[in-house]
Amino acid sequence: MSGTEDLRVAFHDYRRPKATAGVYTLTAEHHLTKDGNRVDVNPAIPATTQQFEIRAVRFVLDPSSVHAHYPAEGAAGDFSRTLPHITLDRSILPWERKLKARAVPEEAPWLALMVFHAGELPDDPEGLGQTTTRTIAELRRPGDGILGPDLSDTGITPGIEASRCQSIDVPAGLFTALVPREEELNYLAHVRDVSTRPQRRDDGEILTKGQYAVLAANRFPSEAGAYTVHLVSLEGFNGKLNPGQMGENVRFVRLCVLHSWTFTSDPAGTRDAAALLSNLAAPARADRENLALRLHPNGNVAARSTADAEQYARRRLHLGYTPLPYRLLSGETTYGWYRGPFVPVIAAQTRDFARDKPKTTADHALIYEPEHGLFDVSYAAAWTLGRTLALSDPDYSEEMTRARRELANTAATMMALAAEPTLAAADPADLNGRTVRELAGSGFAADLLAALTRPLASHDQAPASAGRNRRTRLTQQSARAALAAGPKAAALQATAERHTRTLPGWLDELALLRRVPFNYLVPNPAMLPPESIRLFRIDENWIEALLAGARDVGVHTSLDALVDTTLTAAIDSRRTRIRTGETGRAGLLIRSELVEAWPVFDILTTAAAANVAELRRDHLAPDTLLLLLDALPDEIVIREPGQGIHFGIDSNDAADDNSVINLREHRPGPDLGYPLGRDYPEGGGLFTRHLRPRNGDDAPHVLALRGDRGLVPALAAALDPDLGDLAPGEFALQLVNAPVEQRLTLDVTPGQESAR
């Protein structure tokens, strides 16, 4: 979206609470000394002991604690190079308990994400995320052949022992193949510190300001099929996470599950957003003009045309015109040139429809080319369309017609008052008040009595003053002058504003081309072929012709035309956007599978490094996106659709294993987090080097973080040869999947049409 603020996110290694969960004993002793010697030994003051417990999440997690997870619940797509992750609202949750094992780092979490393919868990063969409800007693003491967590009785009351939790039984070999090693746990958790305005992403995650705990899995869902992700507790499995540490009689490992979700990975059946976006911008690499919204002439035209005709037609097509059938008033059929509001050049100034007199036909908007005997019907078509849209909306047409009638009646009253000498100077808005004041006057009763007592005149006797009081008809010039007087003009303006309540908003919507059919915007499908992006500038003349057609509804008499300026001024005074004579507005159209598959993605537009505001963003069709901008940008950045922040690996152009990580700056400074422009491994092959060796068909694509195939030390050396290790936050930064972006630079001095 235009002007979208970039995410401001910091990754921290961990957030350890002041005291972890557990039972604590507080002992208070009193020692009295004098000159360094105790004086309270006989008898000594007894010590006081007090126990207290810090409780935290252990067996059950409230669903409201889960901020988001990726992939989203029920999502289907190409997640073969993604590490699923979960975001928790409580930033200290993964560190509120301690794992007591020799090789576990101090900052290691007690939680882990484990990813299972459909068919791997005996109790969930379809990969539906099913778990089994058991008591805490059944979790701790599962029976022969099943290894449960070895938890101390301290803090587990009979009530907790009888409470229930969700659990899964994992085959022992699968557990060992999937579970992070003791020395790897800390790399899979970190704290995300977000300091940006709220932003909703495609998967529903709202990135709001605050600190969140993030746990990532260590397995890539590379094979097609359904997957389930379980957030499990590793508390009580000290010394059981590395190979060869479980007894031979252990067939299953029972884990407490705190949260689960499912998704489907389908690498072959989904669209590649990065490839689609790259193909859209590919024509611009050869010539920026390939992205202009215009028709390109067929190469066969020259064989059937003269050189002058071909040059004329090419010029017209270059300016964005399309030839269309046109029937003359005489009945003959020819063709005319039509161009919509989206043009590849800056349109020439033409008639000012905003201040023109109201019309009842579109003939005034036709442009004739005597040299070729052809009409440019663009503005006439716009005027006719505006009139048609206005008449098709009963609310708009009724309000406009009523406003014109009320305004005409008020104007007629004004003109009548102007012909009456005693009322010519009266304030039209105060006629009723003047009448009341005359009735309440002290001499009104006497004047009325005198008039009633006079003798009646005979029928054949004309009043002596009849000739003097005869009203004279005002000329049109005098009527215009009377209506332009201060009080009368104010009364007309008040009448117009009182009867045009919804018209300004309706015209503002029309100015953004809402309700306008697509074929008026893009008159020929070849101008916007499949898998294309087209840039354009907006012809304000076309917009004003469209609005003029809508405004001219209800004009029937010369009096309607006389007061139309007042009506237009009343409407325009409350409109949001009024034409200023500038020609800087622009936009783009995208027709692609990208739009259909990812309806929401970022489009950033800037002019002189400042954000350009969006006026409208709409899907004109499932695969077609329209973006209107408030100014002409000099750069447009289109980013690959992304769902929040997710983790995984990238790819290069290698023929075989093309898996890589795009390295990012890890040192503090202004460039922290920005790409370094190099990959690890340099020629690809990350999967080949850093996946755990497979034991038969068990658990493929599990990432090895430490040891002989460990990714962390190798990645650290690739960033800096003197760097032997990465902190969890630094490691998470390297795994952030950066969306691909395409930058389109526009000509800051575009071509302009010559004035007609």
Side-chain angles (χ1 to χ4, degrees), residues 434-627:
R434 174 180 175 176
T435 302
V436 172
R437 287 193 298 272
E438 289 178 351
L439 291 174
S442 59
F444 178 77
D447 293 342
L448 179 61
L449 181 62
L452 293 175
T453 57
R454 291 194 194 102
L456 298 176
S458 61
H459 292 288
D460 56 353
Q461 182 180 0
S465 60
R468 294 193 304 271
N469 293 337
R470 182 178 301 167
R471 297 179 182 179
T472 58
R473 183 180 180 87
L474 292 178
T475 64
Q476 186 179 28
Q477 184 176 3
S478 300
R480 288 177 181 271
L483 295 180
K488 295 180 176 58
L492 284 175
Q493 186 74 13
T495 301
E497 292 178 355
R498 189 167 57 252
H499 292 90
T500 57
R501 299 187 178 184
T502 66
L503 299 186
W506 195 95
L507 290 172
D508 275 335
E509 290 291 294
L510 188 61
L512 295 178
L513 302 173
R514 302 191 191 278
R515 306 183 184 90
V516 175
F518 182 72
N519 60 322
Y520 278 82
L521 305 177
V522 183
N524 193 306
M527 301 174 74
L528 187 66
E531 298 306 319
S532 65
I533 178 174
R534 293 293 182 264
L535 310 177
F536 56 81
R537 298 169 180 89
I538 296 178
D539 184 358
E540 298 289 350
N541 305 316
W542 199 98
I543 302 291
E544 290 304 327
L546 177 74
L547 297 177
R551 287 195 307 262
D552 290 348
V553 167
V555 176
H556 299 296
T557 67
S558 59
L559 191 55
D560 291 334
L562 184 62
V563 297
D564 181 74
T565 302
T566 301
L567 180 63
T568 300
I571 295 174
D572 287 351
S573 66
R574 287 174 291 141
R575 280 186 54 199
T576 302
R577 296 195 57 82
I578 301 297
R579 184 180 183 184
T580 61
E582 298 178 357
T583 57
R585 293 202 296 168
L588 60 89
L589 283 162
I590 300 177
R591 182 184 177 192
S592 171
E593 292 183 10
L594 181 78
V595 176
E596 187 172 8
W598 292 274
V600 180
F601 55 91
D602 287 344
I603 303 177
L604 309 178
T605 56
T606 56
N611 290 332
V612 175
E614 281 187 13
L615 299 177
R616 178 187 175 193
R617 178 193 283 240
D618 262 336
H619 287 78
L620 305 182
D623 65 341
T624 304
L625 176 68
L626 168 66
L627 181 68

Side-chain angles (χ1 to χ4, degrees), residues 685-732:
L686 185 141
F687 278 163
T688 305
R689 299 186 188 189
H690 298 293
L691 293 182
R692 289 183 186 175
R694 295 177 58 175
N695 182 13
D697 295 330
D698 291 339
H701 292 94
V702 177
L703 193 60
L705 302 181
R706 299 292 297 183
D708 295 338
R709 305 173 68 89
L711 173 63
V712 175
L715 200 56
L719 290 168
D720 186 346
D722 297 329
L723 193 63
D725 195 7
L726 293 176
E730 293 174 326
F731 181 63

